PDB file of all heavy atoms in Angstrom:
ATOM      1  N   THR A  27       4.571 134.311 280.440  1.00  0.00           N
ATOM      2  CA  THR A  27       3.313 134.680 280.992  1.00  0.00           C
ATOM      3  C   THR A  27       2.288 133.664 281.045  1.00  0.00           C
ATOM      4  O   THR A  27       1.658 133.445 279.977  1.00  0.00           O
ATOM      5  CB  THR A  27       2.780 136.061 280.284  1.00  0.00           C
ATOM      6  OG1 THR A  27       3.861 136.977 280.236  1.00  0.00           O
ATOM      7  CG2 THR A  27       1.580 136.523 280.944  1.00  0.00           C
ATOM      8  N   SER A  28       2.144 132.924 282.105  1.00  0.00           N
ATOM      9  CA  SER A  28       1.147 132.006 282.165  1.00  0.00           C
ATOM     10  C   SER A  28      -0.240 132.716 282.280  1.00  0.00           C
ATOM     11  O   SER A  28      -0.220 133.842 282.723  1.00  0.00           O
ATOM     12  CB  SER A  28       1.342 131.011 283.412  1.00  0.00           C
ATOM     13  OG  SER A  28       1.220 131.762 284.533  1.00  0.00           O
ATOM     14  N   PRO A  29      -1.314 132.025 282.074  1.00  0.00           N
ATOM     15  CA  PRO A  29      -2.583 132.785 282.135  1.00  0.00           C
ATOM     16  C   PRO A  29      -2.958 133.308 283.560  1.00  0.00           C
ATOM     17  O   PRO A  29      -3.519 134.412 283.629  1.00  0.00           O
ATOM     18  CB  PRO A  29      -3.669 131.684 281.725  1.00  0.00           C
ATOM     19  CG  PRO A  29      -2.930 130.770 280.840  1.00  0.00           C
ATOM     20  CD  PRO A  29      -1.431 130.702 281.358  1.00  0.00           C
ATOM     21  N   ARG A  30      -2.392 132.659 284.529  1.00  0.00           N
ATOM     22  CA  ARG A  30      -2.775 133.035 285.936  1.00  0.00           C
ATOM     23  C   ARG A  30      -2.007 134.314 286.314  1.00  0.00           C
ATOM     24  O   ARG A  30      -2.486 135.016 287.324  1.00  0.00           O
ATOM     25  CB  ARG A  30      -2.498 131.939 286.920  1.00  0.00           C
ATOM     26  CG  ARG A  30      -1.033 131.558 287.062  1.00  0.00           C
ATOM     27  CD  ARG A  30      -0.938 130.373 288.013  1.00  0.00           C
ATOM     28  NE  ARG A  30      -0.990 130.861 289.346  1.00  0.00           N
ATOM     29  CZ  ARG A  30       0.078 131.229 290.115  1.00  0.00           C
ATOM     30  NH1 ARG A  30       1.362 131.243 289.547  1.00  0.00           N
ATOM     31  NH2 ARG A  30      -0.174 131.657 291.356  1.00  0.00           N
ATOM     32  N   VAL A  31      -1.017 134.750 285.602  1.00  0.00           N
ATOM     33  CA  VAL A  31      -0.227 135.944 285.955  1.00  0.00           C
ATOM     34  C   VAL A  31      -0.558 137.148 285.053  1.00  0.00           C
ATOM     35  O   VAL A  31       0.007 138.182 285.185  1.00  0.00           O
ATOM     36  CB  VAL A  31       1.301 135.630 286.042  1.00  0.00           C
ATOM     37  CG1 VAL A  31       1.714 134.438 286.816  1.00  0.00           C
ATOM     38  CG2 VAL A  31       1.841 135.481 284.629  1.00  0.00           C
ATOM     39  N   THR A  32      -1.497 136.889 284.138  1.00  0.00           N
ATOM     40  CA  THR A  32      -1.837 137.968 283.145  1.00  0.00           C
ATOM     41  C   THR A  32      -2.243 139.290 283.925  1.00  0.00           C
ATOM     42  O   THR A  32      -1.824 140.341 283.517  1.00  0.00           O
ATOM     43  CB  THR A  32      -2.840 137.498 282.152  1.00  0.00           C
ATOM     44  OG1 THR A  32      -2.390 136.239 281.498  1.00  0.00           O
ATOM     45  CG2 THR A  32      -3.199 138.515 281.140  1.00  0.00           C
ATOM     46  N   ALA A  33      -3.154 139.042 284.928  1.00  0.00           N
ATOM     47  CA  ALA A  33      -3.738 140.310 285.573  1.00  0.00           C
ATOM     48  C   ALA A  33      -2.610 141.072 286.275  1.00  0.00           C
ATOM     49  O   ALA A  33      -2.465 142.283 286.062  1.00  0.00           O
ATOM     50  CB  ALA A  33      -4.733 139.888 286.505  1.00  0.00           C
ATOM     51  N   THR A  34      -1.673 140.403 286.830  1.00  0.00           N
ATOM     52  CA  THR A  34      -0.592 141.152 287.535  1.00  0.00           C
ATOM     53  C   THR A  34       0.419 141.745 286.522  1.00  0.00           C
ATOM     54  O   THR A  34       0.887 142.935 286.680  1.00  0.00           O
ATOM     55  CB  THR A  34       0.162 140.148 288.506  1.00  0.00           C
ATOM     56  OG1 THR A  34      -0.742 139.699 289.465  1.00  0.00           O
ATOM     57  CG2 THR A  34       1.380 140.902 289.155  1.00  0.00           C
ATOM     58  N   GLN A  35       0.732 141.028 285.399  1.00  0.00           N
ATOM     59  CA  GLN A  35       1.603 141.479 284.443  1.00  0.00           C
ATOM     60  C   GLN A  35       1.034 142.721 283.847  1.00  0.00           C
ATOM     61  O   GLN A  35       1.730 143.783 283.666  1.00  0.00           O
ATOM     62  CB  GLN A  35       1.849 140.446 283.410  1.00  0.00           C
ATOM     63  CG  GLN A  35       3.053 139.602 283.665  1.00  0.00           C
ATOM     64  CD  GLN A  35       4.449 140.325 283.425  1.00  0.00           C
ATOM     65  OE1 GLN A  35       4.701 140.725 282.314  1.00  0.00           O
ATOM     66  NE2 GLN A  35       5.151 140.486 284.541  1.00  0.00           N
ATOM     67  N   GLU A  36      -0.207 142.663 283.281  1.00  0.00           N
ATOM     68  CA  GLU A  36      -0.823 143.887 282.688  1.00  0.00           C
ATOM     69  C   GLU A  36      -1.034 144.969 283.644  1.00  0.00           C
ATOM     70  O   GLU A  36      -0.939 146.206 283.278  1.00  0.00           O
ATOM     71  CB  GLU A  36      -2.181 143.426 281.989  1.00  0.00           C
ATOM     72  CG  GLU A  36      -1.996 142.375 280.930  1.00  0.00           C
ATOM     73  CD  GLU A  36      -1.056 142.893 279.697  1.00  0.00           C
ATOM     74  OE1 GLU A  36      -0.705 144.130 279.642  1.00  0.00           O
ATOM     75  OE2 GLU A  36      -0.760 142.061 278.821  1.00  0.00           O
ATOM     76  N   GLY A  37      -1.505 144.606 284.902  1.00  0.00           N
ATOM     77  CA  GLY A  37      -1.593 145.691 285.898  1.00  0.00           C
ATOM     78  C   GLY A  37      -0.288 146.330 286.318  1.00  0.00           C
ATOM     79  O   GLY A  37      -0.226 147.546 286.313  1.00  0.00           O
ATOM     80  N   LEU A  38       0.699 145.569 286.287  1.00  0.00           N
ATOM     81  CA  LEU A  38       2.048 146.151 286.610  1.00  0.00           C
ATOM     82  C   LEU A  38       2.464 147.057 285.435  1.00  0.00           C
ATOM     83  O   LEU A  38       3.152 148.130 285.682  1.00  0.00           O
ATOM     84  CB  LEU A  38       3.085 144.983 286.790  1.00  0.00           C
ATOM     85  CG  LEU A  38       4.513 145.447 287.194  1.00  0.00           C
ATOM     86  CD1 LEU A  38       4.581 146.217 288.482  1.00  0.00           C
ATOM     87  CD2 LEU A  38       5.355 144.167 287.384  1.00  0.00           C
ATOM     88  N   ALA A  39       2.173 146.658 284.198  1.00  0.00           N
ATOM     89  CA  ALA A  39       2.634 147.415 283.059  1.00  0.00           C
ATOM     90  C   ALA A  39       1.965 148.761 282.948  1.00  0.00           C
ATOM     91  O   ALA A  39       2.439 149.769 282.630  1.00  0.00           O
ATOM     92  CB  ALA A  39       2.268 146.556 281.767  1.00  0.00           C
ATOM     93  N   VAL A  40       0.600 148.778 283.284  1.00  0.00           N
ATOM     94  CA  VAL A  40      -0.130 150.067 283.299  1.00  0.00           C
ATOM     95  C   VAL A  40       0.249 150.792 284.508  1.00  0.00           C
ATOM     96  O   VAL A  40       0.491 152.096 284.337  1.00  0.00           O
ATOM     97  CB  VAL A  40      -1.653 149.702 283.340  1.00  0.00           C
ATOM     98  CG1 VAL A  40      -2.342 151.073 283.418  1.00  0.00           C
ATOM     99  CG2 VAL A  40      -2.134 148.961 282.114  1.00  0.00           C
ATOM    100  N   PHE A  41       0.628 150.190 285.608  1.00  0.00           N
ATOM    101  CA  PHE A  41       1.079 150.986 286.816  1.00  0.00           C
ATOM    102  C   PHE A  41       2.380 151.652 286.337  1.00  0.00           C
ATOM    103  O   PHE A  41       2.765 152.794 286.823  1.00  0.00           O
ATOM    104  CB  PHE A  41       1.288 149.913 288.017  1.00  0.00           C
ATOM    105  CG  PHE A  41       1.767 150.533 289.241  1.00  0.00           C
ATOM    106  CD1 PHE A  41       0.986 151.354 289.974  1.00  0.00           C
ATOM    107  CD2 PHE A  41       3.125 150.547 289.637  1.00  0.00           C
ATOM    108  CE1 PHE A  41       1.422 151.929 291.169  1.00  0.00           C
ATOM    109  CE2 PHE A  41       3.592 151.113 290.816  1.00  0.00           C
ATOM    110  CZ  PHE A  41       2.754 151.841 291.605  1.00  0.00           C
ATOM    111  N   ALA A  42       3.248 150.932 285.625  1.00  0.00           N
ATOM    112  CA  ALA A  42       4.514 151.618 285.212  1.00  0.00           C
ATOM    113  C   ALA A  42       4.235 152.776 284.352  1.00  0.00           C
ATOM    114  O   ALA A  42       5.003 153.757 284.476  1.00  0.00           O
ATOM    115  CB  ALA A  42       5.248 150.489 284.405  1.00  0.00           C
ATOM    116  N   GLU A  43       3.197 152.810 283.484  1.00  0.00           N
ATOM    117  CA  GLU A  43       2.909 153.985 282.857  1.00  0.00           C
ATOM    118  C   GLU A  43       2.536 155.102 283.700  1.00  0.00           C
ATOM    119  O   GLU A  43       2.824 156.301 283.493  1.00  0.00           O
ATOM    120  CB  GLU A  43       1.731 153.661 281.850  1.00  0.00           C
ATOM    121  CG  GLU A  43       1.955 152.661 280.746  1.00  0.00           C
ATOM    122  CD  GLU A  43       0.672 152.457 279.932  1.00  0.00           C
ATOM    123  OE1 GLU A  43      -0.098 153.345 279.679  1.00  0.00           O
ATOM    124  OE2 GLU A  43       0.417 151.259 279.647  1.00  0.00           O
ATOM    125  N   LEU A  44       1.808 154.708 284.824  1.00  0.00           N
ATOM    126  CA  LEU A  44       1.329 155.763 285.712  1.00  0.00           C
ATOM    127  C   LEU A  44       2.543 156.290 286.527  1.00  0.00           C
ATOM    128  O   LEU A  44       2.619 157.476 286.614  1.00  0.00           O
ATOM    129  CB  LEU A  44       0.314 154.996 286.725  1.00  0.00           C
ATOM    130  CG  LEU A  44      -0.309 156.001 287.741  1.00  0.00           C
ATOM    131  CD1 LEU A  44      -1.329 156.845 287.056  1.00  0.00           C
ATOM    132  CD2 LEU A  44      -1.173 155.054 288.794  1.00  0.00           C
ATOM    133  N   MET A  45       3.382 155.428 286.982  1.00  0.00           N
ATOM    134  CA  MET A  45       4.570 155.995 287.770  1.00  0.00           C
ATOM    135  C   MET A  45       5.627 156.798 286.955  1.00  0.00           C
ATOM    136  O   MET A  45       6.232 157.592 287.418  1.00  0.00           O
ATOM    137  CB  MET A  45       5.253 154.740 288.421  1.00  0.00           C
ATOM    138  CG  MET A  45       4.551 154.056 289.639  1.00  0.00           C
ATOM    139  SD  MET A  45       4.309 155.205 291.032  1.00  0.00           S
ATOM    140  CE  MET A  45       2.663 155.684 290.843  1.00  0.00           C
ATOM    141  N   SER A  46       5.662 156.440 285.633  1.00  0.00           N
ATOM    142  CA  SER A  46       6.587 157.151 284.787  1.00  0.00           C
ATOM    143  C   SER A  46       6.036 158.372 284.139  1.00  0.00           C
ATOM    144  O   SER A  46       6.632 158.973 283.401  1.00  0.00           O
ATOM    145  CB  SER A  46       7.202 156.099 283.795  1.00  0.00           C
ATOM    146  OG  SER A  46       6.083 155.580 282.840  1.00  0.00           O
ATOM    147  N   GLY A  47       4.717 158.653 284.375  1.00  0.00           N
ATOM    148  CA  GLY A  47       4.103 159.808 283.743  1.00  0.00           C
ATOM    149  C   GLY A  47       3.727 159.604 282.301  1.00  0.00           C
ATOM    150  O   GLY A  47       3.611 160.589 281.452  1.00  0.00           O
ATOM    151  N   ALA A  48       3.707 158.265 281.900  1.00  0.00           N
ATOM    152  CA  ALA A  48       3.382 157.926 280.488  1.00  0.00           C
ATOM    153  C   ALA A  48       1.952 157.631 280.202  1.00  0.00           C
ATOM    154  O   ALA A  48       1.605 157.242 279.120  1.00  0.00           O
ATOM    155  CB  ALA A  48       4.227 156.656 280.097  1.00  0.00           C
ATOM    156  N   ILE A  49       1.113 157.817 281.163  1.00  0.00           N
ATOM    157  CA  ILE A  49      -0.316 157.648 280.996  1.00  0.00           C
ATOM    158  C   ILE A  49      -1.074 158.820 280.974  1.00  0.00           C
ATOM    159  O   ILE A  49      -0.719 159.790 281.697  1.00  0.00           O
ATOM    160  CB  ILE A  49      -0.915 156.554 282.070  1.00  0.00           C
ATOM    161  CG1 ILE A  49      -2.164 155.854 281.602  1.00  0.00           C
ATOM    162  CG2 ILE A  49      -1.079 157.261 283.374  1.00  0.00           C
ATOM    163  CD1 ILE A  49      -2.632 154.767 282.464  1.00  0.00           C
ATOM    164  N   ASP A  50      -2.276 158.852 280.241  1.00  0.00           N
ATOM    165  CA  ASP A  50      -3.104 160.026 280.194  1.00  0.00           C
ATOM    166  C   ASP A  50      -4.532 159.618 280.446  1.00  0.00           C
ATOM    167  O   ASP A  50      -4.814 158.347 280.455  1.00  0.00           O
ATOM    168  CB  ASP A  50      -2.929 160.992 279.027  1.00  0.00           C
ATOM    169  CG  ASP A  50      -3.334 160.077 277.667  1.00  0.00           C
ATOM    170  OD1 ASP A  50      -3.543 158.903 277.849  1.00  0.00           O
ATOM    171  OD2 ASP A  50      -3.380 160.680 276.684  1.00  0.00           O
ATOM    172  N   ILE A  51      -5.415 160.498 280.669  1.00  0.00           N
ATOM    173  CA  ILE A  51      -6.821 160.109 280.967  1.00  0.00           C
ATOM    174  C   ILE A  51      -7.413 159.428 279.771  1.00  0.00           C
ATOM    175  O   ILE A  51      -8.348 158.572 279.975  1.00  0.00           O
ATOM    176  CB  ILE A  51      -7.637 161.386 281.475  1.00  0.00           C
ATOM    177  CG1 ILE A  51      -8.888 160.889 282.108  1.00  0.00           C
ATOM    178  CG2 ILE A  51      -7.841 162.324 280.278  1.00  0.00           C
ATOM    179  CD1 ILE A  51      -8.847 160.191 283.382  1.00  0.00           C
ATOM    180  N   ALA A  52      -7.006 159.756 278.555  1.00  0.00           N
ATOM    181  CA  ALA A  52      -7.635 159.126 277.364  1.00  0.00           C
ATOM    182  C   ALA A  52      -7.215 157.687 277.382  1.00  0.00           C
ATOM    183  O   ALA A  52      -7.950 156.826 277.032  1.00  0.00           O
ATOM    184  CB  ALA A  52      -7.055 159.793 276.165  1.00  0.00           C
ATOM    185  N   ARG A  53      -6.046 157.302 277.786  1.00  0.00           N
ATOM    186  CA  ARG A  53      -5.533 155.901 277.930  1.00  0.00           C
ATOM    187  C   ARG A  53      -6.476 155.186 278.863  1.00  0.00           C
ATOM    188  O   ARG A  53      -6.873 154.003 278.750  1.00  0.00           O
ATOM    189  CB  ARG A  53      -4.114 155.884 278.319  1.00  0.00           C
ATOM    190  CG  ARG A  53      -3.561 154.510 278.840  1.00  0.00           C
ATOM    191  CD  ARG A  53      -3.338 153.562 277.627  1.00  0.00           C
ATOM    192  NE  ARG A  53      -2.478 152.561 278.141  1.00  0.00           N
ATOM    193  CZ  ARG A  53      -2.528 151.317 277.616  1.00  0.00           C
ATOM    194  NH1 ARG A  53      -3.332 150.969 276.504  1.00  0.00           N
ATOM    195  NH2 ARG A  53      -1.685 150.272 277.940  1.00  0.00           N
ATOM    196  N   LEU A  54      -6.707 155.758 280.102  1.00  0.00           N
ATOM    197  CA  LEU A  54      -7.630 155.038 281.077  1.00  0.00           C
ATOM    198  C   LEU A  54      -8.896 154.971 280.549  1.00  0.00           C
ATOM    199  O   LEU A  54      -9.678 153.956 280.863  1.00  0.00           O
ATOM    200  CB  LEU A  54      -7.563 155.921 282.402  1.00  0.00           C
ATOM    201  CG  LEU A  54      -6.369 155.884 283.254  1.00  0.00           C
ATOM    202  CD1 LEU A  54      -6.463 156.917 284.479  1.00  0.00           C
ATOM    203  CD2 LEU A  54      -6.242 154.476 283.832  1.00  0.00           C
ATOM    204  N   LYS A  55      -9.367 155.890 279.701  1.00  0.00           N
ATOM    205  CA  LYS A  55     -10.701 155.848 279.173  1.00  0.00           C
ATOM    206  C   LYS A  55     -10.805 154.574 278.095  1.00  0.00           C
ATOM    207  O   LYS A  55     -11.750 153.896 278.112  1.00  0.00           O
ATOM    208  CB  LYS A  55     -11.099 157.090 278.370  1.00  0.00           C
ATOM    209  CG  LYS A  55     -12.523 157.018 277.739  1.00  0.00           C
ATOM    210  CD  LYS A  55     -12.899 158.436 276.978  1.00  0.00           C
ATOM    211  CE  LYS A  55     -14.279 158.149 276.362  1.00  0.00           C
ATOM    212  NZ  LYS A  55     -14.661 159.550 275.715  1.00  0.00           N
ATOM    213  N   ARG A  56      -9.720 154.420 277.414  1.00  0.00           N
ATOM    214  CA  ARG A  56      -9.713 153.286 276.354  1.00  0.00           C
ATOM    215  C   ARG A  56      -9.752 152.055 277.068  1.00  0.00           C
ATOM    216  O   ARG A  56     -10.512 151.149 276.672  1.00  0.00           O
ATOM    217  CB  ARG A  56      -8.485 153.325 275.491  1.00  0.00           C
ATOM    218  CG  ARG A  56      -8.509 154.431 274.432  1.00  0.00           C
ATOM    219  CD  ARG A  56      -7.420 154.274 273.370  1.00  0.00           C
ATOM    220  NE  ARG A  56      -6.097 154.332 273.921  1.00  0.00           N
ATOM    221  CZ  ARG A  56      -5.358 155.417 274.163  1.00  0.00           C
ATOM    222  NH1 ARG A  56      -5.963 156.648 273.847  1.00  0.00           N
ATOM    223  NH2 ARG A  56      -4.166 155.373 274.655  1.00  0.00           N
ATOM    224  N   ILE A  57      -8.927 151.843 278.131  1.00  0.00           N
ATOM    225  CA  ILE A  57      -8.925 150.623 278.963  1.00  0.00           C
ATOM    226  C   ILE A  57     -10.379 150.431 279.521  1.00  0.00           C
ATOM    227  O   ILE A  57     -10.898 149.324 279.606  1.00  0.00           O
ATOM    228  CB  ILE A  57      -7.836 150.747 280.094  1.00  0.00           C
ATOM    229  CG1 ILE A  57      -6.461 150.691 279.490  1.00  0.00           C
ATOM    230  CG2 ILE A  57      -8.073 149.600 280.980  1.00  0.00           C
ATOM    231  CD1 ILE A  57      -5.467 151.084 280.420  1.00  0.00           C
ATOM    232  N   SER A  58     -10.956 151.473 279.995  1.00  0.00           N
ATOM    233  CA  SER A  58     -12.290 151.323 280.688  1.00  0.00           C
ATOM    234  C   SER A  58     -13.373 150.991 279.715  1.00  0.00           C
ATOM    235  O   SER A  58     -14.284 150.139 280.066  1.00  0.00           O
ATOM    236  CB  SER A  58     -12.601 152.601 281.410  1.00  0.00           C
ATOM    237  OG  SER A  58     -11.626 152.855 282.455  1.00  0.00           O
ATOM    238  N   LEU A  59     -13.319 151.639 278.498  1.00  0.00           N
ATOM    239  CA  LEU A  59     -14.301 151.349 277.513  1.00  0.00           C
ATOM    240  C   LEU A  59     -14.335 149.837 277.128  1.00  0.00           C
ATOM    241  O   LEU A  59     -15.431 149.316 276.868  1.00  0.00           O
ATOM    242  CB  LEU A  59     -14.060 152.220 276.261  1.00  0.00           C
ATOM    243  CG  LEU A  59     -14.457 153.626 276.395  1.00  0.00           C
ATOM    244  CD1 LEU A  59     -14.003 154.367 275.064  1.00  0.00           C
ATOM    245  CD2 LEU A  59     -15.889 153.888 276.644  1.00  0.00           C
ATOM    246  N   ARG A  60     -13.143 149.261 277.130  1.00  0.00           N
ATOM    247  CA  ARG A  60     -13.165 147.767 276.715  1.00  0.00           C
ATOM    248  C   ARG A  60     -13.898 147.033 277.804  1.00  0.00           C
ATOM    249  O   ARG A  60     -14.508 145.966 277.453  1.00  0.00           O
ATOM    250  CB  ARG A  60     -11.627 147.356 276.744  1.00  0.00           C
ATOM    251  CG  ARG A  60     -10.807 147.978 275.534  1.00  0.00           C
ATOM    252  CD  ARG A  60      -9.351 147.495 275.517  1.00  0.00           C
ATOM    253  NE  ARG A  60      -8.610 148.423 274.658  1.00  0.00           N
ATOM    254  CZ  ARG A  60      -7.248 148.378 274.662  1.00  0.00           C
ATOM    255  NH1 ARG A  60      -6.601 147.636 275.665  1.00  0.00           N
ATOM    256  NH2 ARG A  60      -6.560 149.019 273.853  1.00  0.00           N
ATOM    257  N   ILE A  61     -13.807 147.353 279.118  1.00  0.00           N
ATOM    258  CA  ILE A  61     -14.563 146.627 280.112  1.00  0.00           C
ATOM    259  C   ILE A  61     -15.975 146.843 279.895  1.00  0.00           C
ATOM    260  O   ILE A  61     -16.788 145.865 280.046  1.00  0.00           O
ATOM    261  CB  ILE A  61     -14.061 147.110 281.481  1.00  0.00           C
ATOM    262  CG1 ILE A  61     -12.507 146.770 281.725  1.00  0.00           C
ATOM    263  CG2 ILE A  61     -14.864 146.482 282.611  1.00  0.00           C
ATOM    264  CD1 ILE A  61     -11.977 147.316 282.872  1.00  0.00           C
ATOM    265  N   LEU A  62     -16.437 148.032 279.645  1.00  0.00           N
ATOM    266  CA  LEU A  62     -17.783 148.297 279.400  1.00  0.00           C
ATOM    267  C   LEU A  62     -18.299 147.512 278.109  1.00  0.00           C
ATOM    268  O   LEU A  62     -19.518 147.015 278.142  1.00  0.00           O
ATOM    269  CB  LEU A  62     -18.122 149.809 279.198  1.00  0.00           C
ATOM    270  CG  LEU A  62     -17.709 150.681 280.449  1.00  0.00           C
ATOM    271  CD1 LEU A  62     -18.106 152.177 280.198  1.00  0.00           C
ATOM    272  CD2 LEU A  62     -18.417 150.239 281.691  1.00  0.00           C
ATOM    273  N   ALA A  63     -17.423 147.412 277.130  1.00  0.00           N
ATOM    274  CA  ALA A  63     -17.874 146.720 275.973  1.00  0.00           C
ATOM    275  C   ALA A  63     -17.911 145.195 276.184  1.00  0.00           C
ATOM    276  O   ALA A  63     -18.749 144.556 275.741  1.00  0.00           O
ATOM    277  CB  ALA A  63     -16.816 147.019 274.911  1.00  0.00           C
ATOM    278  N   LEU A  64     -17.032 144.724 277.030  1.00  0.00           N
ATOM    279  CA  LEU A  64     -17.078 143.326 277.401  1.00  0.00           C
ATOM    280  C   LEU A  64     -18.459 142.974 278.160  1.00  0.00           C
ATOM    281  O   LEU A  64     -19.061 142.023 277.894  1.00  0.00           O
ATOM    282  CB  LEU A  64     -15.980 142.960 278.469  1.00  0.00           C
ATOM    283  CG  LEU A  64     -14.618 142.555 277.942  1.00  0.00           C
ATOM    284  CD1 LEU A  64     -13.547 142.394 279.074  1.00  0.00           C
ATOM    285  CD2 LEU A  64     -14.719 141.182 277.175  1.00  0.00           C
ATOM    286  N   ASP A  65     -18.844 143.946 279.006  1.00  0.00           N
ATOM    287  CA  ASP A  65     -20.165 143.734 279.752  1.00  0.00           C
ATOM    288  C   ASP A  65     -21.238 143.780 278.740  1.00  0.00           C
ATOM    289  O   ASP A  65     -22.222 143.006 278.875  1.00  0.00           O
ATOM    290  CB  ASP A  65     -20.273 144.869 280.748  1.00  0.00           C
ATOM    291  CG  ASP A  65     -21.451 144.667 281.708  1.00  0.00           C
ATOM    292  OD1 ASP A  65     -21.488 143.569 282.375  1.00  0.00           O
ATOM    293  OD2 ASP A  65     -22.419 145.477 281.662  1.00  0.00           O
ATOM    294  N   MET A  66     -21.214 144.581 277.735  1.00  0.00           N
ATOM    295  CA  MET A  66     -22.248 144.617 276.635  1.00  0.00           C
ATOM    296  C   MET A  66     -22.381 143.401 275.909  1.00  0.00           C
ATOM    297  O   MET A  66     -23.370 142.831 275.756  1.00  0.00           O
ATOM    298  CB  MET A  66     -22.002 145.749 275.715  1.00  0.00           C
ATOM    299  CG  MET A  66     -22.190 147.199 276.203  1.00  0.00           C
ATOM    300  SD  MET A  66     -21.726 148.333 274.959  1.00  0.00           S
ATOM    301  CE  MET A  66     -22.755 148.022 273.630  1.00  0.00           C
ATOM    302  N   ALA A  67     -21.249 142.848 275.582  1.00  0.00           N
ATOM    303  CA  ALA A  67     -21.171 141.585 274.758  1.00  0.00           C
ATOM    304  C   ALA A  67     -21.702 140.463 275.605  1.00  0.00           C
ATOM    305  O   ALA A  67     -22.485 139.560 275.108  1.00  0.00           O
ATOM    306  CB  ALA A  67     -19.806 141.268 274.277  1.00  0.00           C
ATOM    307  N   LEU A  68     -21.318 140.284 276.888  1.00  0.00           N
ATOM    308  CA  LEU A  68     -21.800 139.225 277.678  1.00  0.00           C
ATOM    309  C   LEU A  68     -23.283 139.302 277.960  1.00  0.00           C
ATOM    310  O   LEU A  68     -23.887 138.224 278.177  1.00  0.00           O
ATOM    311  CB  LEU A  68     -21.003 139.321 278.988  1.00  0.00           C
ATOM    312  CG  LEU A  68     -19.620 138.868 279.023  1.00  0.00           C
ATOM    313  CD1 LEU A  68     -18.858 139.161 280.393  1.00  0.00           C
ATOM    314  CD2 LEU A  68     -19.380 137.408 278.684  1.00  0.00           C
TER     315      LEU A  68
END
C-alpha cells in the first residue's frame, strides 16, 4: 500500500463492509467523527 493508494484501499475496504452487510450506522458515525476531529485539530 503506497501512500497514493491509501484512499482507494480504505474506501474499498469500507465499501466491502457496506456490500457484505457488515457496516452499521454507528461505524459510519465513528468514521465521520474522526473527520470532524481532524478539522477541529487543524
Side-chain angles (χ1 to χ4, degrees):
T27 306
S28 66
R30 64 181 285 267
V31 307
T32 303
T34 300
Q35 267 288 297
E36 297 299 352
L38 184 60
V40 179
F41 182 76
E43 296 178 38
L44 187 65
M45 288 295 102
S46 60
I49 200 168
D50 62 350
I51 192 67
R53 166 77 163 151
L54 284 173
K55 180 179 180 180
R56 287 194 298 274
I57 292 170
S58 299
L59 285 175
R60 293 172 190 170
I61 294 169
L62 300 182
L64 272 174
D65 190 61
M66 288 176 60
L68 290 171

